[in-house]
Amino acid sequence: MKSPSGSTIDEAKAFLDQHPEIEAFDIVLTDANGVGRGKIIRRHELAAIYESGRHMPISILGLDITGEDVHETGLIWDSGDGDLRAWPIPGTLKPLHGTSPARGQVLMSMYHLDGSPMTSDPRHALARQVRKLAQKGLHPAGAFELEFFLLANERDAEGRVQPAGAVLDGRKSGKTEVYSVDHLHGMEPLFSDIYAAAKAQGIPAETVISEYAPGQYELTLHYRKDIMQAADDLVMLKRLVRAAARRHGVTACFMAKPIEKYAGSGMHLHVSMLDDSGLNIFSEAEEAKWAPALLHSLGGLAATMPEAMLVFAPHANSWRRFVAQSYAPIAPTWGVNNRSVALRVPAGDVKNRRIEHRPAGVDTNPYLVAAAVLAGISKGLDEKLDPGPETTGNGYENAPKLAGAPGDWRSAIEAAEASEFLKEALGPDLHRTFTAIKRAEYLRVARTVGELDYHLYLHEV
């Protein structure tokens, strides 16, 4: 059958001709948690995947963060755990830098056997929001930022994770080396490999920064006019950063809050909206006189943020990131050139006006984040929502209280389960799948008795 994803056998044949050295391929399907699941196939199997797809069990989209089945998704025994068909995503067939023997990679998306989209696949949720905006003559553009830690493979004397020493010479630093260029030099061999891998995959990786914690870094990506491509960029970039770090003897950590006394890691999404002629509708005619479309979009994002917080903070650890003065937003505020708000309008050329959406942690699924953000913008534009007054100065001190806003993981799960907005943003099937997985993970964490419990209570109560 013809590939429903739009992939063609010509793409596979051209790639194989261009890369005779490649012996195998990672085929990667991204689940609700953003985990890449799939197989490694041999070179001779690639053409068949482009011609006929590849059977994969439906349950692969119903797994929790540990890879365990979540029966409440309805994707396990309710369907007999039957096979569906995964198809390659056009443009994602790429070589993997530094592999030996040489391997390639292709991202996959799941479809029913008749070729219709399997709507618990997160990428289809984003595609659906993009199509809905296109029907209104609007086309989202954007880019993600990737913050992460590089950690030593060994724990410290107290069993805690610790920043990795420089891969160049092993030098260690326990300081917050924010924006230190000299500090970056110690990781130069690793970042050189990351840039080489990104170039091989066509990922527009740009600036690297030493961020606001020991061992924390940020990589920025060039803006894409196609937000689907921007999300694919982020998925592929996380995979190659993790692989490159491993080859250099350190661990790339994408937890939202790996070290308790330092800032956590975000995954900010910069987004603008183009009309059919390619003009940015967020651009104001006169600087600082904000375009109505920008304000309405901010209003939609602020209004829907409480219901969507489970997408932006999907794990128990995610909620440890939301602490005042930590550069993580704690309320649905907006402001201009202000990093203490959730929705930032960066300074710059009016033609490039955009919204920086800051709540999401780096532990999130970029397809779900982008889908929820686009749905919020769409709601704001349709209903002409008012974002309220701009937050100036310290947004942590001046943050408004929003009725119903979740303050912890359990509240976020309950808000998401009850949300008609999130059901529309993700689609009913993925909404059921995602919330069921999160509920199962919450119960796993809630019943676990950890070391802190013994420390606090063993000899005291």
Side-chain angles (χ1 to χ4, degrees):
M1 66 183 295
K2 183 178 179 181
S3 169
S5 71
S7 59
T8 66
I9 186 62
D10 290 341
E11 180 182 3
K13 289 179 177 177
F15 186 91
L16 292 171
D17 289 343
Q18 187 178 357
H19 295 281
E21 76 285 1
I22 289 181
E23 297 183 11
F25 294 87
D26 297 358
I27 61 173
V28 183
L29 180 74
T30 303
D31 73 5
N33 275 314
V35 176
R37 302 192 185 276
K39 306 177 181 183
I40 297 177
I41 64 167
R42 305 303 297 168
R43 178 185 178 90
H44 69 270
E45 298 178 87
L46 182 68
I49 288 178
Y50 277 78
E51 290 175 327
S52 307
R54 183 71 177 237
H55 285 122
M56 287 190 182
I58 190 173
S59 59
I60 200 171
L61 293 173
L63 305 177
D64 70 9
I65 193 67
T66 69
E68 295 286 343
D69 291 338
V70 178
H71 297 280
E72 292 79 4
T73 62
L75 301 181
I76 316 299
W77 300 123
D78 289 10
S79 61
D81 194 17
D83 279 344
L84 299 185
R85 191 171 288 168
W87 290 88
I89 296 170
T92 65
L93 179 58
K94 303 292 183 180
L96 291 175
H97 174 77
T99 53
S100 180
R103 293 202 326 278
Q105 173 183 278
V106 62
L107 301 185
M108 309 288 284
S109 195
M110 192 77 92
Y111 293 81
H112 291 287
L113 298 181
D114 65 2
S116 60
M118 198 288 166
T119 48
S120 285
D121 182 329
R123 198 173 186 277
H124 290 315
L126 176 54
R128 179 170 162 269
Q129 292 300 328
V130 170
R131 287 194 301 270
K132 290 183 68 175
L133 285 165
Q135 291 169 1
K136 303 174 185 179
L138 297 174
H139 310 279
F144 288 92
E145 296 174 355
L146 181 69
E147 295 178 355
F148 59 97
F149 280 79
L150 293 175
L151 303 177
N153 292 338
E154 305 78 24
R155 305 287 181 92
D156 66 15
E158 297 179 347
R160 298 181 180 183
V161 297
Q162 57 183 331
V167 299
L168 187 65
D169 56 14
R171 183 182 303 174
K172 295 183 178 181
S173 171
K175 296 181 291 184
T176 300
E177 306 272 8
V178 62
Y179 278 80
S180 169
V181 177
D182 289 344
H183 178 67
L184 291 175
H185 290 169
M187 291 294 181
E188 193 235 349
L190 170 54
F191 282 111
S192 292
D193 263 4
I194 288 171
Y195 281 124
K199 182 179 180 180
Q201 294 187 27
I203 301 171
E206 295 190 327
T207 306
V208 61
I209 301 165
S210 180
E211 261 290 357
Y212 201 65
Q216 188 184 37
Y217 302 88
E218 178 186 87
L219 272 170
T220 63
L221 289 158
H222 189 71
Y223 222 65
R224 295 283 202 182
K225 289 187 176 181
D226 178 356
I227 204 164
M228 292 290 296
Q229 193 172 23
D232 290 339
D233 284 343
L234 199 284
V235 168
M236 293 193 294
L237 183 61
K238 283 182 74 171
R239 287 183 57 77
L240 72 84
V241 167
R242 182 179 281 116
R246 191 173 185 180
R247 284 195 294 271
H248 283 270
V250 299
T251 296
C253 174
F254 300 110
M255 290 173 63
K257 185 78 167 178
I259 302 176
E260 63 187 49
K261 62 182 178 178
Y262 293 111
S265 294
M267 192 182 74
H268 304 161
L269 171 59
H270 293 252
V271 61
S272 56
M273 196 69 65
L274 310 180
D275 63 19
D276 284 336
S277 66
L279 295 177
N280 182 4
I281 68 170
F282 290 170
S283 298
E284 63 267 26
E286 185 177 343
E287 189 168 1
K289 291 188 176 180
W290 309 116
L294 176 69
L295 294 175
H296 296 327
S297 297
L298 289 166
L301 290 171
T304 58
M305 193 177 298
E307 297 172 72
M309 277 307 299
L310 187 63
V311 170
F312 309 140
H315 307 291
N317 179 260
S318 307
W319 291 85
R320 307 191 196 285
R321 175 172 161 262
F322 297 110
V323 179
Q325 316 298 333
S326 66
Y327 290 92
I330 58 173
T333 51
W334 75 278
V336 181
N337 198 22
N338 186 334
R339 287 183 170 83
S340 67
V341 298
L343 305 169
R344 174 176 176 250
V345 180
D349 191 330
V350 298
K351 292 183 295 185
N352 300 323
R353 189 66 71 212
R354 65 192 187 275
I355 296 169
E356 181 187 7
H357 185 273
R358 297 172 58 82
V362 74
D363 56 345
T364 58
N365 183 322
Y367 299 121
L368 300 190
V369 170
V373 166
L374 295 188
I377 289 174
S378 184
K379 181 179 176 69
L381 292 172
D382 290 346
E383 300 179 17
K384 295 181 168 47
L385 296 180
D386 184 349
E390 175 191 346
T391 296
T392 57
N394 188 338
Y396 295 112
E397 293 181 354
N398 305 324
K401 301 298 182 185
L402 190 67
D408 56 37
W409 192 28
R410 177 178 176 176
S411 300
I413 293 170
E414 292 171 348
E417 288 172 335
S419 172
E420 290 300 317
F421 163 75
L422 197 61
K423 186 178 293 185
E424 191 286 326
L426 305 183
D429 293 337
L430 182 54
H431 177 265
R432 181 194 67 246
T433 298
F434 181 63
T435 55
I437 289 170
K438 294 297 106 182
R439 174 67 68 176
E441 291 175 355
Y442 168 78
L443 293 173
R444 176 190 290 266
V445 172
R447 66 174 175 256
T448 299
V449 180
E451 188 60 37
L452 181 61
D453 289 42
Y454 297 122
H455 175 71
L456 292 176
Y457 309 121
L458 179 60
H459 299 293
E460 310 298 334
V461 296

